[in-house]
Coordinates of all heavy atoms in Angstrom, one line a residue:
Chain A
R311 N 116.5 61.8 153.2 CA 115.4 60.9 153.0 C 115.8 59.4 153.1 O 115.1 58.6 153.6 CB 114.6 61.2 151.7 CG 113.9 62.5 151.8 CD 113.0 62.7 150.5 NE 112.8 64.1 150.3 CZ 112.0 64.6 149.4 NH1 111.3 63.8 148.6 NH2 111.9 65.9 149.2
K312 N 116.9 59.2 152.5 CA 117.4 57.8 152.5 C 117.6 57.3 153.9 O 117.4 56.1 154.2 CB 118.7 57.7 151.7 CG 118.5 57.6 150.2 CD 119.9 57.3 149.5 CE 121.0 58.1 150.2 NZ 122.2 58.1 149.4
D313 N 118.0 58.2 154.8 CA 118.2 57.8 156.1 C 116.9 57.8 157.0 O 117.0 57.7 158.2 CB 119.2 58.8 156.8 CG 120.6 58.6 156.2 OD1 120.8 57.8 155.3 OD2 121.5 59.4 156.6
G314 N 115.8 58.1 156.3 CA 114.6 58.0 157.0 C 114.1 59.3 157.6 O 113.1 59.3 158.3
V315 N 114.7 60.4 157.2 CA 114.2 61.7 157.7 C 113.0 62.0 156.8 O 113.0 61.9 155.6 CB 115.3 62.7 157.5 CG1 114.8 64.1 157.9 CG2 116.5 62.4 158.3
K316 N 112.0 62.5 157.5 CA 110.7 62.8 156.8 C 110.3 64.2 157.1 O 110.6 64.8 158.2 CB 109.6 61.9 157.3 CG 110.0 60.4 157.1 CD 108.9 59.6 156.5 CE 107.9 59.1 157.6 NZ 108.5 58.0 158.4
R317 N 109.7 64.8 156.1 CA 109.1 66.1 156.4 C 108.2 66.0 157.6 O 107.6 64.9 157.8 CB 108.2 66.5 155.2 CG 108.6 67.9 154.7 CD 107.6 68.3 153.6 NE 106.7 67.4 153.0 CZ 106.8 67.0 151.7 NH1 107.7 67.4 150.9 NH2 105.9 66.1 151.3
S318 N 108.1 67.1 158.3 CA 107.2 67.0 159.4 C 107.7 66.2 160.6 O 107.0 65.7 161.4 CB 105.8 66.5 159.0 OG 105.0 66.3 160.1
M319 N 109.0 66.0 160.6 CA 109.7 65.7 161.8 C 110.2 67.0 162.4 O 110.3 68.0 161.7 CB 110.9 64.8 161.5 CG 110.7 63.3 161.3 SD 112.3 62.5 161.0 CE 111.8 60.8 161.0
R320 N 110.4 66.9 163.7 CA 111.1 68.1 164.3 C 112.6 67.9 164.0 O 113.1 66.8 163.8 CB 110.9 68.2 165.8 CG 109.4 68.1 166.2 CD 108.5 69.1 165.6 NE 109.0 70.5 165.8 CZ 108.3 71.6 165.7 NH1 107.0 71.5 165.4 NH2 108.8 72.8 165.8
G321 N 113.4 69.0 164.2 CA 114.8 68.9 164.0 C 115.4 67.8 164.9 O 116.3 67.1 164.5
D322 N 115.0 67.7 166.1 CA 115.5 66.8 167.0 C 115.4 65.3 166.6 O 116.3 64.5 166.6 CB 114.8 66.9 168.4 CG 115.2 68.3 169.0 OD1 116.1 69.0 168.5 OD2 114.5 68.6 170.0
E323 N 114.2 65.0 166.1 CA 113.9 63.7 165.6 C 114.8 63.4 164.4 O 115.4 62.3 164.3 CB 112.5 63.5 165.1 CG 111.4 63.9 166.2 CD 110.1 63.9 165.5 OE1 109.7 62.8 165.0 OE2 109.4 64.9 165.4
A324 N 115.0 64.4 163.6 CA 115.8 64.2 162.4 C 117.2 63.9 162.8 O 117.9 63.0 162.2 CB 115.7 65.4 161.5
K325 N 117.7 64.6 163.8 CA 119.0 64.3 164.3 C 119.2 62.9 164.8 O 120.2 62.3 164.7 CB 119.4 65.3 165.4 CG 119.9 66.7 164.9 CD 121.3 66.6 164.5 CE 121.9 68.0 164.2 NZ 123.1 68.0 163.4
K326 N 118.1 62.4 165.4 CA 118.2 61.1 166.0 C 118.3 60.1 164.8 O 119.1 59.2 164.9 CB 116.9 60.8 166.8 CG 117.2 60.5 168.2 CD 115.9 60.3 169.0 CE 115.3 61.6 169.4 NZ 113.9 61.4 170.1
V327 N 117.5 60.2 163.9 CA 117.5 59.3 162.8 C 118.7 59.4 161.9 O 119.2 58.4 161.4 CB 116.2 59.6 161.9 CG1 116.2 58.7 160.7 CG2 114.9 59.3 162.7
C328 N 119.2 60.6 161.8 CA 120.3 60.9 160.9 C 121.2 61.9 161.6 O 121.1 63.1 161.3 CB 119.8 61.4 159.6 SG 121.0 61.9 158.4
P329 N 122.1 61.4 162.4 CA 122.9 62.3 163.3 C 123.8 63.3 162.5 O 124.1 64.4 163.0 CB 123.8 61.3 164.0 CG 123.1 60.0 164.0 CD 122.4 60.0 162.7
K330 N 124.1 62.9 161.3 CA 125.0 63.8 160.5 C 124.2 64.8 159.7 O 124.8 65.5 158.8 CB 126.0 63.0 159.6 CG 125.3 62.0 158.7 CD 126.4 61.2 158.1 CE 126.0 60.1 157.1 NZ 124.7 60.0 156.6
I331 N 122.9 64.9 159.9 CA 122.1 65.7 159.0 C 122.5 67.2 159.2 O 122.8 67.6 160.4 CB 120.6 65.5 159.3 CG1 119.8 66.2 158.2 CG2 120.2 66.1 160.6 CD1 118.3 65.8 158.2
Q332 N 122.5 67.9 158.2 CA 122.7 69.4 158.2 C 121.4 70.1 158.3 O 120.6 70.0 157.3 CB 123.5 69.8 157.0 CG 124.8 69.1 156.8 CD 125.9 69.5 157.8 OE1 126.0 70.7 158.2 NE2 126.6 68.6 158.3
L333 N 121.1 70.8 159.3 CA 119.8 71.5 159.4 C 120.1 73.0 159.2 O 120.8 73.6 159.9 CB 119.2 71.3 160.8 CG 118.9 69.9 161.2 CD1 118.3 69.8 162.6 CD2 117.8 69.3 160.2
V334 N 119.5 73.4 158.1 CA 119.6 74.8 157.8 C 118.4 75.6 158.1 O 117.3 75.1 157.8 CB 119.9 75.0 156.2 CG1 120.1 76.4 155.9 CG2 121.0 74.1 155.8
Q335 N 118.6 76.7 158.7 CA 117.4 77.5 159.2 C 116.9 78.4 158.1 O 117.7 79.0 157.4 CB 117.7 78.3 160.4 CG 117.7 77.6 161.7 CD 118.0 78.5 162.8 OE1 119.1 78.6 163.4 NE2 116.9 79.3 163.2
V336 N 115.6 78.5 158.0 CA 115.0 79.5 157.1 C 115.4 80.9 157.6 O 115.4 81.1 158.9 CB 113.4 79.3 157.2 CG1 112.8 80.5 156.5 CG2 113.0 78.0 156.5
P337 N 115.7 81.8 156.7 CA 116.0 83.1 157.2 C 114.9 83.7 158.0 O 113.7 83.5 157.8 CB 116.2 83.9 155.9 CG 116.4 82.9 154.8 CD 115.8 81.6 155.3
V338 N 115.3 84.5 159.0 CA 114.3 85.2 159.9 C 114.5 86.7 159.7 O 115.6 87.2 159.6 CB 114.5 84.8 161.3 CG1 113.7 85.7 162.2 CG2 114.3 83.3 161.6
A339 N 113.4 87.3 159.4 CA 113.4 88.8 159.3 C 112.1 89.3 160.1 O 111.1 88.7 160.0 CB 113.3 89.2 157.9
R340 N 112.3 90.3 160.8 CA 111.2 90.9 161.6 C 110.6 89.9 162.5 O 109.4 89.8 162.7 CB 110.1 91.4 160.7 CG 110.6 92.5 159.7 CD 109.5 93.0 158.8 NE 109.9 94.0 157.8 CZ 110.3 93.6 156.6 NH1 110.4 92.4 156.3 NH2 110.7 94.6 155.8
G341 N 111.4 89.0 163.0 CA 111.0 88.0 164.0 C 110.2 86.9 163.4 O 109.6 86.1 164.2
K342 N 110.2 86.8 162.1 CA 109.4 85.7 161.5 C 110.2 85.0 160.4 O 111.1 85.6 159.8 CB 108.0 86.1 161.0 CG 108.1 87.2 159.9 CD 106.7 87.6 159.5 CE 106.0 86.5 158.7 NZ 106.7 86.1 157.4
A343 N 109.7 83.9 160.0 CA 110.4 83.2 158.9 C 110.2 84.1 157.6 O 109.1 84.6 157.4 CB 109.7 81.8 158.6
D344 N 111.2 84.2 156.8 CA 111.1 85.0 155.6 C 111.5 84.1 154.4 O 112.6 83.7 154.3 CB 112.1 86.2 155.8 CG 112.0 87.1 154.6 OD1 111.4 86.7 153.6 OD2 112.6 88.2 154.6
L345 N 110.5 83.9 153.6 CA 110.7 83.0 152.5 C 111.2 83.7 151.2 O 111.1 83.1 150.1 CB 109.4 82.2 152.2 CG 108.8 81.5 153.4 CD1 107.5 80.8 153.1 CD2 109.8 80.6 154.1
T346 N 111.6 84.9 151.3 CA 111.9 85.6 150.1 C 112.9 84.9 149.2 O 112.7 84.9 148.0 CB 112.5 87.0 150.5 OG1 111.6 87.7 151.3 CG2 112.8 87.8 149.3
I347 N 113.9 84.4 149.8 CA 115.0 83.8 148.9 C 114.4 82.6 148.1 O 114.8 82.4 147.0 CB 116.2 83.4 149.7 CG1 115.9 82.3 150.7 CG2 116.9 84.5 150.4 CD1 117.1 81.7 151.3
Y348 N 113.4 81.9 148.7 CA 112.9 80.8 148.0 C 111.9 81.3 146.9 O 111.8 80.7 145.8 CB 112.1 79.9 148.9 CG 113.0 79.5 150.1 CD1 112.6 79.9 151.4 CD2 114.2 78.8 150.0 CE1 113.4 79.6 152.5 CE2 115.0 78.5 151.0 CZ 114.6 78.9 152.3 OH 115.4 78.6 153.4
R349 N 111.2 82.3 147.2 CA 110.3 82.9 146.2 C 111.1 83.4 145.0 O 110.8 83.2 143.9 CB 109.5 84.1 146.8 CG 108.3 83.7 147.5 CD 107.5 85.0 147.9 NE 106.8 84.7 149.1 CZ 107.2 85.2 150.3 NH1 108.2 86.0 150.4 NH2 106.5 84.8 151.4
N350 N 112.2 84.1 145.3 CA 113.0 84.6 144.2 C 113.6 83.5 143.4 O 113.7 83.5 142.2 CB 114.1 85.5 144.8 CG 113.5 86.8 145.3 OD1 112.3 87.1 145.0 ND2 114.3 87.5 146.0
A351 N 114.0 82.4 144.1 CA 114.6 81.3 143.4 C 113.5 80.7 142.5 O 113.8 80.3 141.3 CB 115.1 80.3 144.4
G352 N 112.3 80.6 143.0 CA 111.2 80.1 142.2 C 111.0 80.9 140.9 O 110.7 80.4 139.8
S353 N 111.2 82.2 141.1 CA 111.0 83.1 139.9 C 112.1 82.9 138.9 O 111.8 83.0 137.7 CB 111.0 84.6 140.4 OG 109.9 84.8 141.2
E354 N 113.3 82.6 139.4 CA 114.3 82.3 138.4 C 113.9 81.2 137.5 O 114.1 81.2 136.3 CB 115.6 81.9 139.2 CG 116.3 82.9 139.9 CD 117.6 82.3 140.5 OE1 118.4 81.7 139.8 OE2 117.7 82.5 141.8
V355 N 113.4 80.2 138.2 CA 113.0 79.0 137.4 C 111.9 79.3 136.4 O 111.9 78.9 135.3 CB 112.6 77.8 138.4 CG1 112.0 76.7 137.6 CG2 113.8 77.4 139.2

Side-chain angles (χ1 to χ4, degrees):
Chain A
R311 289 185 205 190
K312 278 190 319 195
D313 293 359
V315 178
K316 302 224 275 290
R317 229 186 350 245
S318 170
M319 277 179 172
R320 312 297 312 195
D322 294 347
E323 305 171 63
K325 276 281 188 202
K326 240 178 279 174
V327 176
C328 176
K330 54 189 181 10
I331 194 171
Q332 304 288 320
L333 297 178
V334 183
Q335 281 183 256
V336 170
V338 172
R340 303 181 182 89
K342 64 180 289 297
D344 184 348
L345 306 183
T346 303
I347 62 171
Y348 311 115
R349 275 188 213 102
N350 289 347
S353 295
E354 289 181 53
V355 174

